[in-house]
Amino acid sequence: MVKKSLIGLSIVALLVTIPAIDARVTKKKVDDQQFQIKLSKDRQITHAIDRLTFGARPGDFATVQKLGLKKWIDLQLNPSRIKENPILEAKLAPLLSLQMTEIQAVQNYPSRQMIIAVARGKEKLPEDPLLRNTVQRLVQRYRAKINPDDKTVTDDEMEPVTPIDQLIAEEQLKTLRNGTADKKREVLAGIAGDQMEAVVLALPRNLRQQLFNLAPETMRRMIMISNAPQQLVAYDLSEGKLFRAIYSNRQLQEELVDFWYNHFNVYLDKGADRFQVPTYERDAIRPHVLGSFRDFLEATAKSPAMLFYLDNWQSVGPPKTPKVALKGPQAKRPARGLNENYGRELLELHTLGVDGGYTQKDVTEVARCFTGWTIREPRKGGSFDYNDKVHDKGEKIVLGVTIPAGGGMDDGEKVLDILARHPSTARFISTKLAKRFVSDTPPQALIDRMAKTFHDKKGDLREVMKTMLSSKEFWSEGAYRAKVKTPFEMIASAVRALNADVEFSFPLSNQIAALGQPLYRKQEPTGYSSANAEWINSAALLARMNFALSLTQNKVAGVKVDQQRFNDAAKDDPMGVARAVLFQDVSPQTRLAIETALKAQQAKNPKEKPAPAVIAGLVIGSPEFQRR
């Protein structure tokens, strides 16, 4: 009955409020005059928090007001001067794979297939001592249930050494199968030490999965390792991203990490990249978001994650000696040669832009310059390597600039020099930043000033951001609430607005994926778009509304919302809840939508007073909250 009632509220709210957001989103161009109208001081603070953070938390407005907007922005542009939130540091500490090199991640989280193959006697233990030890330790806990020569053995047919009924009492097992969530948590919390590991391995696979959201952090990690060790790397990655967005004091830095990761996108689920992406974001993206664009380019170009994703690690120049015809099995192997994937995306997506003035000939010449840029043992988490033997030594001409014959790795570095200082790159990067932080249709005058700074300051990204953040266009009515939150931004901002405590964020990551933005899993090199039209339609708004209602009523695993805050805010006026979530007076459209939804609910159930948590959910799901 309650579930049906909530769905009804969602639909009513959506029917009333969709036009309020569609009118803004589908409008092709905001009147240029709007970019000449300066925001009031209070609106400037609201705008800064909306646009330069993942959303306001209780007290943020007062903090910025007390510190001064100019000083607050200066600190955000210099994140090393901001003391990090100790809560964040505590939540990141257990995410061990984020601190590892690629090789360490491979060694600590072997594939499930490797473990099973060794257990069946179909594969030898790895030669690498660390990887060998990890696999051996896992294999010793299992025995094959059927003949090891039978190739039909699956994960579910692997049996633990110690049966579950020898590890925990029958009553405990019954509770884990059929008890309430609280009772299950109680049993799991009582399983500790060496027993925890044995119990996790002995639990039936499907029951392990059912208990995942209820288990303590250490047990959750053990469940991950017992099911598929490699999954833990992706788990840590998404946990870290959400924890940083929600808890970090260095909010602009986290916004920029998200922006630049999508700019230099790498798809997590492509082979070896499942181990390369954490290091890529940590070492190639994060340190450069407010630094030199030229250095940024080189860091991504030499990253094993990018080299593997866009196949440049396999790109080679023409053979130095005449080719000899191969015979036998070798003859069936595809011949290695020039691969243009990275060269094309470097020009089109990373620097010049699709209209930046390059030709197909330039793509080929750039690809030739990067032959030999490869990875040492890519499937084992290897590092960047330059192989001069497969580099194309011939003369190349890139965008009219001659790169003499006989060069080596410096051919690629010269290309990066050319692209980093090219006028098209200055315009393309400036336009993309302005579209993310100002408007989908930023004024050309602003882009021109940003591009000039990019050129004059030799690609200093902090200076480009300063130009944007000191512009009249950024602080104008044309920019105010002109952007719509992506699913990632929406969910992070909802948690921040509710001041919720996040024990673990895996369920939130799943919600983001359900809304169309699985983290680190944009398969195309474009990365996720920040354009409003990509994220707003009736189905998306309905899904966002349903998530909001679940969140405010504590129905999202791993997240705890203090509902007393809503109860206190609603004592005198239901709209007090809206102010407690939006941190400002609610708009007439949102007020009308909420009042209409509440009246409809009262008509269905006259004796049932709408819970303040439901009102909070309607506010979080409203178009007003979707804007930033």
Side-chain angles (χ1 to χ4, degrees):
M1 183 71 178
V2 174
K3 185 176 181 182
K4 185 176 180 181
S5 171
L6 292 179
I7 292 174
L9 280 169
S10 303
I11 293 173
V12 171
L14 282 165
L15 288 175
V16 174
T17 57
I18 281 174
I21 197 164
D22 281 353
R24 186 70 177 264
V25 171
T26 58
K27 193 174 182 180
K28 289 186 178 179
K29 189 174 182 179
V30 178
D31 189 337
D32 280 347
Q33 290 184 351
Q34 292 293 305
F35 288 105
Q36 307 301 317
I37 303 174
K38 188 176 181 179
L39 293 171
S40 67
K41 288 185 178 180
D42 281 357
R43 277 197 164 193
Q44 285 181 29
I45 294 175
T46 298
H47 180 57
I49 294 172
D50 279 349
R51 204 57 63 84
L52 306 181
T53 80
F54 280 97
R57 299 167 302 178
D60 277 359
F61 186 96
T63 298
V64 176
Q65 190 176 46
K66 182 178 180 181
L67 185 63
L69 185 55
K70 186 175 180 180
K71 187 174 181 180
W72 180 81
I73 290 174
D74 184 61
L75 282 172
Q76 289 297 322
L77 285 168
N78 294 275
S80 63
R81 287 159 43 191
I82 302 174
K83 182 176 173 56
E84 192 50 284
N85 187 348
I87 296 174
L88 171 63
E89 293 172 340
K91 289 183 180 295
L92 292 177
L95 309 180
L96 300 179
S97 69
L98 297 185
Q99 304 161 28
M100 296 177 180
T101 65
E102 297 97 328
I103 294 174
Q104 289 172 332
V106 171
Q107 291 168 343
N108 282 275
Y109 306 109
S111 70
R112 179 80 176 171
Q113 292 79 2
M114 179 189 293
I115 296 165
I116 293 175
V118 173
R120 287 189 297 198
K122 304 301 291 184
E123 187 173 314
K124 293 180 179 180
L125 283 165
E127 292 183 6
D128 182 279
L130 287 175
L131 183 54
R132 181 187 183 91
N133 180 61
T134 302
V135 174
Q136 192 169 31
R137 188 162 47 83
L138 289 169
V139 166
Q140 285 174 347
R141 298 175 187 145
Y142 291 87
R143 62 179 174 81
K145 191 174 182 180
I146 57 178
N147 190 321
D149 291 330
D150 189 333
K151 294 182 180 180
T152 63
V153 175
T154 65
D155 289 5
D156 292 328
E157 291 170 326
M158 299 301 292
E159 191 175 277
V161 175
T162 308
I164 186 66
D165 57 10
Q166 293 182 23
L167 295 168
I168 60 175
E170 182 180 349
E171 195 63 33
Q172 287 179 307
L173 185 57
K174 283 183 180 178
T175 300
L176 292 180
R177 291 185 187 278
N178 304 310
T180 64
D182 287 341
K183 289 293 183 182
K184 289 177 180 178
R185 284 193 189 94
E186 189 178 320
V187 171
L188 293 173
I191 301 170
D194 294 338
Q195 187 195 21
M196 182 190 293
E197 193 170 34
V199 168
V200 166
L201 291 166
L203 284 171
R205 188 181 177 88
N206 63 338
L207 183 56
R208 266 188 248 145
Q209 290 301 100
Q210 292 171 25
L211 297 172
F212 181 82
N213 286 343
L214 305 175
E217 172 64 25
T218 303
M219 188 177 286
R220 282 198 300 273
R221 297 185 72 80
M222 286 184 180
I223 290 172
M224 277 269 184
I225 290 176
S226 66
N227 286 344
Q230 290 179 324
Q231 289 182 357
L232 199 58
V233 178
Y235 171 82
D236 284 357
L237 195 61
S238 61
E239 289 283 292
K241 187 175 182 70
L242 270 159
F243 281 149
R244 289 179 186 277
I246 293 165
Y247 289 105
S248 178
N249 291 334
R250 300 163 180 171
Q251 280 286 296
L252 178 56
Q253 176 176 268
E254 297 310 317
E255 282 276 2
L256 288 168
V257 169
D258 182 57
F259 170 83
W260 284 109
Y261 186 92
N262 282 294
H263 182 80
F264 293 113
N265 182 56
V266 168
Y267 177 52
L268 176 65
D269 290 334
K270 181 175 179 177
D273 272 327
R274 66 171 60 92
F275 293 111
Q276 309 282 10
V277 166
T279 308
Y280 175 64
E281 184 176 66
R282 185 187 72 210
D283 298 341
I285 301 293
R286 184 170 292 280
H288 296 95
V289 297
L290 287 164
S292 158
F293 184 72
R294 169 61 181 80
D295 293 346
F296 210 158
L297 272 184
E298 185 162 343
T300 56
K302 289 183 176 178
S303 168
M306 183 65 74
L307 289 165
F308 190 88
Y309 173 54
L310 292 179
D311 306 310
N312 200 83
W313 72 284
Q314 294 179 312
S315 185
V316 302
K320 308 295 187 296
T321 57
K323 221 172 181 182
V324 178
L326 298 174
K327 296 180 180 180
Q330 289 184 316
K332 298 179 181 179
R333 294 179 184 174
R336 290 178 65 190
L338 187 68
N339 190 299
E340 296 184 351
N341 287 353
Y342 178 67
R344 180 174 294 105
E345 308 309 349
L346 176 64
L347 297 174
E348 180 180 334
L349 299 177
H350 298 173
T351 57
L352 305 179
V354 67
D355 299 319
Y358 67 90
T359 66
Q360 174 55 39
K361 178 66 174 174
D362 289 314
V363 171
T364 302
E365 297 291 88
V366 168
R368 291 177 61 210
C369 289
F370 283 99
T371 50
W373 287 47
T374 186
I375 311 170
R376 188 180 292 107
E377 296 187 294
R379 299 187 188 281
K380 294 184 180 180
S383 57
F384 170 77
D385 187 32
Y386 171 70
N387 184 353
D388 193 64
K389 293 179 180 178
V390 297
H391 180 63
D392 187 329
K393 296 285 188 178
E395 180 184 271
K396 299 100 175 170
I397 301 176
V398 175
L399 298 169
V401 179
T402 299
I403 297 176
M409 189 173 77
D410 60 328
D411 285 356
E413 291 170 340
K414 288 174 182 176
V415 169
L416 299 181
D417 289 338
I418 294 167
L419 296 177
R421 61 174 178 254
H422 198 283
S424 292
T425 298
R427 285 194 300 273
F428 182 64
I429 298 301
S430 298
T431 301
K432 201 166 180 181
L433 282 167
K435 285 185 175 182
R436 168 69 179 254
F437 288 97
V438 180
S439 161
D440 281 1
T441 56
Q444 188 60 48
L446 171 62
I447 294 171
D448 290 344
R449 293 198 303 276
M450 292 171 67
K452 185 177 186 302
T453 298
F454 188 102
H455 175 269
D456 293 348
K457 299 294 183 178
K458 297 180 171 53
D460 186 325
L461 296 174
R462 182 181 281 107
E463 292 300 321
V464 176
M465 289 294 294
K466 283 182 180 178
T467 297
M468 183 184 72
L469 296 177
S470 63
S471 71
K472 62 182 179 182
E473 291 88 350
F474 181 83
W475 301 105
S476 71
E477 289 288 347
Y480 188 69
R481 294 295 175 90
K483 294 290 294 181
V484 171
K485 296 170 184 174
T486 66
F488 172 50
E489 292 168 338
M490 182 266 171
I491 284 180
S493 65
V495 174
R496 284 172 64 83
L498 299 172
N499 205 27
D501 177 54
V502 183
E503 180 189 356
F504 68 109
S505 65
F506 187 68
L508 294 176
S509 297
N510 288 339
Q511 289 284 349
I512 294 169
L515 292 174
Q517 194 185 13
L519 299 177
Y520 302 100
R521 287 183 166 92
K522 178 64 172 175
Q523 194 164 359
E524 299 81 9
T526 53
Y528 289 114
S529 170
S530 70
N532 294 350
E534 288 288 323
W535 303 111
I536 291 301
N537 54 57
S538 298
L541 283 172
L542 177 59
R544 291 182 182 214
M545 178 66 76
N546 287 332
F547 163 75
L549 288 164
S550 295
L551 180 66
T552 57
Q553 295 176 95
N554 281 321
K555 294 182 179 179
V556 176
V559 185
K560 181 67 175 176
V561 176
D562 180 7
Q563 295 182 331
Q564 187 58 44
R565 180 178 157 218
F566 309 143
N567 298 335
D568 294 341
K571 281 182 180 178
D572 300 321
D573 176 12
M575 289 303 109
V577 177
R579 286 191 293 274
V581 172
L582 294 172
F583 307 109
Q584 60 183 346
D585 289 335
V586 65
S587 70
Q589 296 96 326
T590 300
R591 174 183 284 274
L592 176 62
I594 294 173
E595 289 175 345
T596 302
L598 295 179
K599 285 178 183 177
Q601 178 66 6
Q602 290 262 243
K604 288 182 181 179
N605 302 291
K607 296 181 180 180
E608 182 181 323
K609 187 177 179 180
V614 173
I615 300 173
L618 290 171
V619 176
I620 293 290
S622 72
E624 185 167 359
F625 188 84
Q626 307 309 310
R627 295 182 187 142
R628 59 196 305 262

